[in-house]
Every structure is written in C-alpha cells, then in structure tokens.
Amino acid sequence: MFSTLLIANRGEIACRIAATARRLGIRTVAVYSDADAHARHVAACDLAVHIGGPEPRASYLRGDAILQAALDSGAQAIHPGYGFLSENAEFARKAAAAGLVFVGPPPDAIAAMGSKSAAKSLMEKAGVPLVPGYHGDNQDAGFLHQQADAIGYPVLIKASAGGGGKGMRVVEQSGAFAEALASCRREAAASFGDDRVLIERYLQKPRHIEIQVFADTQGQCVYLFERDCSVQRRHQKVIEEAPAPGMTPQRRAEMGAAAVAAARAVGYVGAGTVEFIAEPDGRFYFMEMNTRLQVEHPVTEAITGQDLVEWQLRVAAGAPLPARQEDLAIQGHAIEARLYAENPDNGFLPSIGTLAHLALPAHTAFTRGDVRVDGGVRAGDAITPYYDPMIAKLIVHGADRDEARARMIQALAHTRVVGVHTNAAFLGRLMRDEAFATADLDTGLIERRRATLLPAPAATPVAALALATAARLTQETIAAAHAAPDPWAATDGWRVGGAYHRALDWLDGDTSRTVRVARTESGWTFEEVAAAGAQAFSWQGKGARVRIQLGGRDYTADVLLEGESAYVFLDGATHVLVRNDPLAHAGEEAGDHAGDMSAPMPGKIIAIHVAAGDKVEKGQPLLVMEAMKMEHTITAGTDGEVTEIFHAIGDQVSEGAVLIALA
C-alpha cells in the first residue's frame, strides 16, 4: 500500500478519498486553486499545495502542476477523483512516466473508452447493442447536420469526450441544429478540451441504468450491480438509487455480463461504470463507459457494504479484488440526492454566494447506515462560478425502497442552508411525487411532472410569518438583556397604561405583508393586517429553534436571522422573509430599464448573437454566458431594438450586470 497519496481533485470527492486514506494509514496531499485556499478538502489532508488560479484551466486541469506537486511532496500515487483529469489518458501516461501510480485504469483503456465515438465502435464490434446514430470521425458541421437529418428528429448531440451532462443538446428540428452544435462544441471544448461530438436518436421515455464494474491486475473482473440514474435535469443526474426498481435477476445478469465484457475488451483495471439507456420494453443500449469513480458510487457501497475507494487503492497497489462475484449480494435499497446551490424556480440556474449557515443531517455511518452525508463545503465557504455548485450528497439506506424514500424525506427536512438558493425543497417534492414513489421513472420525469415538482411560488403561510416575528422579537429581547439596565429600553411589551402594539412589515417576495402583535392583560395576540381577526399568540425561542402557539395550534421550526432576512424552515420548505424598511431606500429613483437584459449569475461572455441596432423578438437568443462549466443563453424578454451592448466576448461579469439594453 502507498504511504503518501496526492488527491488531484477538490470538493466532496477529495474529502471522501482523504477519509478512506486516513483509515488505511495513508498520508494525503491536497492540491488547491486560489479560490480553494481555505476549502474543506485542504483542511482534510495532511499537506496542501497551491497549483494556480481559480478557473479549472489554470489549476485543476494543469497536469504539469499536479505532477510536480506530487513529486515535490513525495507522493507515490495520484488519485484523480472524478471530473477534471480523471479520464485524461495523457495525464495518466505522464504520471506513469514520472514514476507515479495513477489510481485508475491503464491509459489505453481510458483512451479507448474516453471517446464516446471510439467506445461505441468498440462495443459495436463486440456485439453490444447501440442506439442508432453517427459515431464517426467526420466532424464537418454540414456533414453532421446531414447525419442528424437522416437519423430523424429529435436527436441528441453529445460531446465525444464528455460527461456530467456537459456538451449535450437535444435538437427537436433541423433548423435548430447548427446553433445547438456550435453551443455543444464550445461547452465541450471548455470542459474537456475536445470539441468532437456524436449524434444519436433521442429515445422517448428511456431509463438511464448503469453497472458498476471493478477489475484488478490479476485478470479478475466483477460487477457490483446496477444504479438507476433516470431522474435528471439538463442531462445531469439529480437522484440515483440502487438497485434499479423493477430490475429482474435475468436482466441484471445480462447487463452485468455485458458490462464485464466491455471492461475486459479494453484490459480494464480499477473502478468503472458502464452506462446503458433502457427502453420501456426492457431493451438496453450501450451509451458510454466512465473510466473513473462516479459521483453516485455511495448507493452501491450502501447496498453491498463495500468501500469502493478502498478497493481502488488496494487494486492500484497491486492487490487482488477484495471479493469475488459470488461473494457480492444486494442488501436493502439506497437513494442518493444531490444538494445543489441552484434555483429550481429560475430554470435551475446556479446560485452564487457565501454559505452563511449550513446544517446537514447527522452522518450515521461510513458505508452502510440510515443516513450518510458526503460534503465538500462548510458554513462560511463560498459557492463560486468556477466549479460545480454541488453542496453535498445525501445518501440513505433502508430495508426497501419505501423505507429509503421515507428516510430521504426526513433527511431533506433536516437540511438548512442560508446564503444561496438550493434545490432542497424541490428534492423533497420529488421524493413525495406520485411518479417517483411508484417508480414510474424515465429521464423526462422532471419535465413531465413540472406542474407538481415546480409549482408557481405560493404566499408564505401565516404560521411562518408568526414564526419569523417571534424570532425577531426574541432576538430583540436578548439584545436588550445584554444592554445596560434601562427600563425605557425594555422590550417585554409592559405598559403602565394598558395595551402594547407592535407592527412589522415583511417582504414576501415582492409582496408587502404587515403583521401586528399586541399585548393586553389577557396575553399576546397576532394578526396579519390584511386578514381578518387576531389570534392568541405565545412563543418560546432557544437558539434557532422557535415554538409558537397560534390560534390554539402549535408550530415548531428553525428560524435563522441573517441581517434583515428571516429564513423559516417549516415542514420541509424554506420561507424567506425580509424586514421592509421604507426609509432604507428613500430617495432612490427607479430608472426605465424594463427591457434591459442582465446577468442572472456571475460568468463569462462567450458568444454575442446581436449588434446595436438589431430588431429582436421576445425569446430570441442574444448572448451566451459560461458559468460553472455550463452554458446559459440569455434571451430577449420582450420585442425591441438593441440600443447598446455593454460587454465583449471574454468579459467576466457579475450577477445583475446589465448586458444589453433594449428599447
């Protein structure tokens, strides 16, 4: 076994690798960018080496800097994690040439499977069924357009070297192909340094099922069953579970045998995932092989009781696989949910900001247990535009799928994040959704269940208003108690002459909601001014936990106060209310910028489709931004004329920056 391991990655996977290595007595070395100088993975390792600027191209994609860091720190091996250089055959070759062990498959296996086109050709020769499409080397745009027309729409354009939903576009009609291809190529080049693509028929109501394989240097190869990763948005996985609902033993054996055959065909070593697309009738087609550990590997660990990172390290050190195929069995059901800093109500756009507060469910076990949390950030850390916006992975295990789903609902209800938007409430709705609950799964589930999963924003319930008000009053009482004794500063509502009234104005989104609390001889009352009637009101607060009695009913929630904002975590939902001070913005004048297009997040301008003087229609693409390794197209919000373009291609812009003026 190695004495020192360099982890060529960041975030939760770097923390996970460091934890396993420490348990095995291995010293770990972290690498970090300017943006990650104080990151959790840096603190998790024994030594840390700075490798460059915040953008991945200037740091985590710099193979030369990472290799030098390994040599300078005395590391014997490099674990690439997932993403970045984990599937870069040239990096693996250079590591070997430098005398370092690359914790992953041989470079030739990475090269064979790293290109989706080459992998599909290899699988076709091996007799593995493929989705109809074009997987060749001709990358002429006109030729690819002809191939798409011949396949028939809708088609899927995919980056040959891609993964994680990046460099992927669904094209519904021929007229949209050229722009989709250009966008796909830009994103692929930015994420993988390779803009080659392939084209496939886009299957209707498919399921995404993948098989975990593992091979050692002695020629043994096993599969650790399957994962269902069908629930996706923007071609990125949101929920993963194991085993796949409805999988028969016969189909599992067929897919497992096909996955092992694929691994053997390229002389595979280490952890890999063979991904299939399956149609409702059970037919399955090879999609790609990921020559690395997957983000969703914890659900496999949960149902098998195996630590796949430990397997990786032992196999890389030359040891045989820790188990044979007949030793492996499925126990129970596991579900993983990816907690992202993103806004589901705004097209799942990433959310940038500082994690002012972060509380996640209690981590109860390392490999198998009720709840497991894999996270790479802490309270006070920033979610930046440079990297994937995942905050943590929540993994639950149960005796069956229903029990696992119930545990995930509870885990999400105990998730508290302040400072950025998250998808926690969306994930809770997804867990409760009828289609998910009954395992009516396919890659289009989120879109077809949009009405229930992404409902229109509703008014904050009165109970949440009362909880926020109670938290604010408690805060004032505590502050007054710490001040110098002054009877005139008391906040307990006592008055010589009788009743005490207090009004607070809360902003609920764009709506002002005024509440009034009053104390009389008979006790406190609470009312929303716009509604009819006051209700009996009392409260107790300890830390963030607030309990109220309102109109004879009890409500308990965590309420976090951040500046003028109150975050009320009630019944699995997060309600954000802001104290409305009419004097705070006195004298400000609203300009006439109704038609201006602004940046929804920090990012880089990578394409501009219009010029000053152009007439545009509502919904027309104006420019393209790149943020968090994904492209985001800014479209016209109204018909009009472009009067000014404020930025050029290559400019880095902040959230809210005006990009284009329309008249």
Side-chain angles (χ1 to χ4, degrees):
M1 187 62 71
F2 320 112
S3 62
T4 303
L5 174 75
L6 183 134
I7 304 170
N9 216 293
R10 64 176 303 279
E12 53 87 17
I13 184 57
C15 295
R16 168 66 210 285
I17 295 166
T20 294
R22 183 182 301 111
R23 186 164 53 81
L24 296 174
I26 300 172
R27 177 174 174 266
T28 54
V29 181
V31 293
Y32 67 92
S33 70
D34 291 345
D36 280 341
H38 304 290
R40 184 175 181 177
H41 79 275
V42 172
C45 292
D46 300 295
L47 178 67
V49 181
H50 175 255
I51 54 170
E55 292 193 354
R57 290 172 182 165
S59 51
Y60 297 107
L61 290 174
R62 286 187 59 201
D64 56 339
I66 292 172
L67 291 174
Q68 192 61 52
L71 296 172
D72 291 345
S73 63
Q76 299 164 299
I78 295 178
H79 195 307
Y82 40 67
F84 297 132
L85 295 171
S86 61
E87 295 180 281
N88 188 303
E90 187 59 26
F91 177 69
R93 289 191 182 97
K94 288 182 178 180
L100 299 163
V101 174
F102 180 80
V103 182
D108 288 347
I110 297 176
M113 288 299 195
S115 165
K116 287 184 173 64
S117 297
K120 286 179 183 291
S121 296
L122 185 63
M123 293 300 101
E124 188 172 29
K125 292 176 183 176
V128 178
L130 303 178
V131 177
Y134 177 73
H135 315 115
D137 295 327
N138 190 336
Q139 294 292 299
D140 176 74
F143 175 80
L144 293 174
H145 199 159
Q146 291 174 358
Q147 294 300 307
D149 289 344
I151 294 167
Y153 295 90
V155 298
L156 184 65
I157 307 174
K158 299 169 68 174
S160 288
K166 298 171 181 65
M168 188 179 295
R169 298 290 185 274
V170 177
V171 186
E172 300 285 351
Q173 56 187 2
S174 181
F177 183 86
E179 175 54 33
L181 175 63
S183 176
C184 189
R185 280 177 160 169
R186 285 193 302 266
E187 196 168 272
S191 297
F192 316 112
D194 186 340
D195 69 353
R196 291 174 299 161
V197 301
L198 55 85
I199 303 168
E200 293 179 341
R201 178 166 63 88
Y202 185 65
L203 302 180
Q204 305 298 318
K205 211 172 180 356
R207 285 175 67 180
H208 184 143
I209 297 176
E210 59 190 33
I211 305 292
Q212 176 73 61
V213 295
F214 229 108
D216 62 21
T217 55
Q218 283 79 37
Q220 301 178 86
C221 186
V222 300
Y223 67 94
L224 290 90
F225 314 113
E226 79 281 355
R227 300 183 286 255
D228 193 308
C229 306
S230 299
V231 183
Q232 305 176 5
R233 55 97 178 97
R234 292 205 311 259
H235 306 295
Q236 286 190 303
K237 300 164 188 173
V238 177
I239 299 292
E240 300 98 353
E241 56 183 309
M247 177 69 76
T248 65
Q250 179 182 352
R251 182 55 48 79
R252 177 176 293 123
E254 290 174 355
M255 296 182 78
V260 168
R264 290 189 183 280
V266 292
Y268 202 79
V269 173
T273 303
V274 183
E275 304 201 2
F276 296 96
I277 198 83
E279 296 201 78
D281 62 6
R283 288 179 298 172
F284 61 91
Y285 308 98
F286 174 85
M287 283 202 306
E288 61 183 324
M289 182 175 186
N290 289 292
T291 54
R292 55 175 168 79
L293 199 65
Q294 292 279 84
V295 177
E296 56 272 20
H297 74 274
V299 293
T300 296
E301 293 182 325
I303 65 167
T304 62
Q306 306 295 331
D307 183 335
L308 298 190
V309 173
E310 180 178 340
W311 278 40
Q312 284 188 298
L313 296 175
R314 292 191 181 282
V315 166
L321 289 177
R324 298 169 298 179
Q325 190 67 59
E326 56 268 28
D327 300 324
L328 299 168
I330 295 174
Q331 298 184 41
H333 197 95
I335 301 175
E336 174 181 295
R338 303 187 188 192
L339 180 67
Y340 279 106
E342 64 183 14
N343 188 351
D345 295 328
N346 190 22
F348 293 96
L349 283 179
S351 182
I352 312 298
T354 299
L355 297 170
H357 180 85
L358 176 64
L360 299 171
H363 179 102
T364 60
F366 188 71
T367 52
R368 182 185 295 155
D370 292 347
V371 181
R372 167 176 161 180
V373 179
D374 284 8
V377 295
R378 302 162 293 189
D381 288 350
I383 302 297
T384 74
Y386 304 110
Y387 314 118
D388 186 273
M390 188 164 65
I391 296 171
K393 301 182 305 193
L394 307 182
I395 306 101
V396 297
H397 181 263
D400 54 30
R401 189 173 188 267
D402 285 341
E403 184 175 76
R405 190 172 62 87
R407 285 179 173 162
M408 181 61 78
I409 290 170
Q410 288 298 310
L412 290 165
H414 288 89
T415 298
R416 310 279 187 262
V417 183
V418 172
V420 295
H421 293 287
T422 79
N423 63 340
F426 165 78
L427 292 171
R429 291 192 295 271
L430 183 55
M431 286 294 111
R432 294 180 176 90
D433 181 74
E434 180 182 2
F436 184 82
T438 58
D440 182 14
L441 307 176
D442 65 87
T443 57
L445 183 147
I446 291 176
E447 189 58 35
R448 66 183 167 87
R449 301 290 295 177
R450 173 174 287 272
T452 53
L453 295 177
L454 296 166
T460 295
V462 172
L465 284 171
L467 285 158
T469 301
R472 182 65 67 183
L473 294 175
T474 300
Q475 182 189 62
E476 292 175 356
T477 299
I478 293 172
H482 286 86
D486 180 359
W488 305 107
T491 59
D492 59 2
W494 182 85
R495 291 293 185 273
V496 174
Y500 162 75
H501 297 274
R502 172 76 182 279
L504 290 90
D505 192 19
W506 294 104
L507 278 178
D508 180 11
D510 295 329
T511 303
S512 176
R513 299 178 68 180
T514 301
V515 302
R516 181 184 293 118
V517 292
R519 176 173 175 173
T520 65
E521 293 181 357
S522 60
W524 289 92
T525 62
F526 175 93
E527 67 176 321
E528 183 176 1
V529 173
Q535 303 179 70
F537 183 47
S538 62
W539 70 92
Q540 302 88 39
K542 184 177 181 180
R545 201 70 171 165
V546 178
R547 180 183 178 188
I548 65 171
Q549 294 81 41
L550 181 65
R553 293 189 60 185
D554 285 4
Y555 300 90
T556 302
D558 285 347
V559 183
L560 299 170
L561 301 177
E562 183 72 16
E564 293 301 301
S565 298
Y567 294 79
V568 183
F569 298 92
L570 178 65
D571 296 333
T574 304
H575 305 284
V576 183
L577 298 162
V578 182
R579 279 284 302 279
N580 186 20
D581 183 356
L583 298 178
H585 304 288
E588 293 183 2
E589 295 183 4
D592 184 16
H593 301 292
D596 292 356
M597 298 292 100
S598 58
M601 74 200 81
K604 181 188 290 185
I605 306 298
I606 60 172
I608 298 175
H609 299 310
V610 293
D614 285 357
K615 302 285 187 182
V616 298
E617 298 178 353
K618 181 179 180 180
Q620 179 177 333
L622 303 179
L623 57 77
V624 181
M625 291 179 60
E626 181 186 66
M628 293 179 167
K629 303 187 288 184
M630 298 289 285
E631 286 194 4
H632 307 275
T633 300
I634 308 301
T635 60
T638 183
D639 294 348
E641 178 180 334
V642 177
T643 58
E644 190 170 359
I645 299 175
F646 296 98
H647 299 278
I649 293 175
D651 285 358
Q652 193 79 32
V653 299
S654 59
E655 182 176 359
V658 177
L659 305 173
I660 292 177
L662 296 180

